[in-house]
Amino acid sequence: MPVDEKSVTVEIGLNAAIVAVTSRSPRILAVSEGLDDSRDGLPFGPFDPALHRTFETSLRASVEQQTALDLGYIEQLYTFGDQGRHRSTGEIGKHMVSVGYLALTRTDAENNARLADAGAHWRDWYSYLPWEDWRQGRPALIDQLILPALRLWEKSGQQDERMGLPQRRTRMRLAFGLDDFPWDEERVLERYELLYEAGLVGEAVIDGRAVATGTPPIGLTMRHDHRRIVATAIARLRGKIKYRPVIFELMPPEFTLTDLQATVEAISGRHLHKQNFRRLVEGAELVEPTGMLTAATGGRPAALFRFRRQILDERPAPGLKVGGR
């Protein structure tokens, strides 16, 4: 049978959204390809079944080789394979399908030095998705920039409604908590997809899916569809901390309750009332006191706690149910 000249070769790659929390800021590990493209990207490696039996072992090996970083918790997110998602000049007849992963780790000075040598750096994930950070209240850019632009986009969607497609107004209400809908911190991907379709993020214009509007692109633009992977990872982690104790993968072995609260706030994007949070932690029985104090907070010595691992044998879904659907 003759080979079809228009046949497409599909390659499988592995992308990792690696998360850490430093200085009470949620971080994503970003890598740079070189001077020809200054946009951030996620650590990436091809899957070679001749070298690795599973995707996960291949990903761990690629990340360690690229960043010298040892990953802790890791979880597969989704397969990203939309046409045009990995467009590169001169790439004809090749289509890249990426399996996205969420990975959690801790940082220290030694790790950060090795990452810098590897050309990687930590970036606050709210620099990519600034509308997601509600720790200081509703972000001003939602009302000042995003909603006015989305309302213009909504008015141009009457043809969609006649064709029976989902109403843009309904999607806006669900995604951004308008009218009688509450803000749901887990709808991270829905919000990004909405902004992408409306042409409000740089990737939509680069991909040729939208025409540039008069509104400046919102958030830092990433290579390919890596910001979509980041949004998926944030949504997954925000949901996961409510029913699994994965938050402790981001904590040192010993910590104060204030540090734990700041880490949960950093991930969820929510401000939490101090006393309510402490009652939540006590009720969940996730931590236990070490009997030690620390003066590192600068004020009164604070009690140190650690994760109480016995909880894994006691309850099927131990987590911190902050906010939620």
Side-chain angles (χ1 to χ4, degrees), residues 268-285:
S268 67
R270 287 177 171 266
H271 170 71
L272 303 172
H273 186 274
K274 181 176 180 179
Q275 297 305 320
N276 289 345
F277 177 78
R278 298 203 171 199
R279 281 193 290 269
L280 178 66
V281 171
E282 290 172 0
E285 299 180 315

Side-chain angles (χ1 to χ4, degrees), residues 43-256:
F44 169 84
F47 174 63
D48 186 347
L51 294 177
H52 299 103
R53 185 175 63 86
T54 67
F55 285 174
E56 182 175 325
T57 56
S58 180
L59 178 71
R60 288 184 183 275
S62 295
V63 168
E64 184 175 350
Q65 181 180 8
Q66 291 181 49
T67 67
L69 195 64
D70 183 24
L71 300 182
Y73 176 87
I74 187 170
E75 175 182 350
Q76 188 176 128
L77 290 171
Y78 189 73
T79 300
F80 300 83
D82 290 356
Q83 184 179 11
R85 63 166 297 276
H86 208 280
R87 183 180 300 172
S88 297
T89 303
E91 281 195 352
I92 299 175
K94 183 171 71 172
H95 181 65
M96 179 64 71
V97 173
S98 283
V99 181
Y101 279 83
L102 165 67
L104 307 182
T105 191
R106 303 184 181 102
T107 66
D108 56 37
E110 182 180 352
N111 279 343
N112 289 339
R114 289 189 297 173
L115 290 174
D117 292 339
H121 57 278
W122 292 106
R123 181 86 74 178
D124 188 318
W125 76 22
Y126 292 122
S127 63
Y128 302 121
L129 309 170
W131 55 87
E132 294 293 335
D133 188 1
W134 284 58
R135 288 173 293 176
Q136 304 299 322
R138 183 182 178 90
L141 69 87
I142 291 180
D143 296 306
Q144 295 175 0
L145 187 62
I146 291 176
L147 291 182
L150 285 179
R151 289 188 180 107
L152 292 176
W153 173 75
E154 175 196 354
K155 292 178 181 178
S156 67
Q158 295 179 352
Q159 180 65 29
D160 290 350
E161 295 175 19
R162 286 197 293 270
M163 294 172 61
L165 298 177
Q167 294 185 15
R168 294 183 175 186
R169 177 64 182 176
T170 299
R171 293 178 62 199
M172 289 167 55
R173 292 171 67 197
L174 284 169
F176 283 93
L178 306 180
D179 304 330
D180 55 340
F181 286 93
W183 173 267
D184 185 341
E185 72 273 8
E186 292 184 47
R187 292 188 181 274
V188 188
L189 183 59
E190 290 96 318
R191 285 186 281 273
Y192 176 76
E193 295 286 10
L194 199 60
L195 298 181
Y196 182 93
E197 290 183 35
L200 299 178
V201 293
E203 291 88 339
V205 177
I206 293 170
D207 293 348
R209 303 298 175 89
V211 178
T213 66
T215 303
I218 305 171
L220 291 181
T221 302
M222 300 186 75
R223 292 197 300 272
H224 311 309
D225 60 355
H226 291 192
R227 192 154 43 148
R228 182 177 282 109
I229 298 175
V230 169
T232 306
I234 295 173
R236 178 71 61 83
L237 186 53
R238 285 181 170 181
K240 199 83 172 182
I241 64 174
K242 297 173 184 177
Y243 61 91
R244 296 299 297 168
V246 294
I247 196 70
F248 298 100
E249 297 286 342
L250 302 168
M251 303 297 299
E254 297 181 352
F255 48 83
T256 67

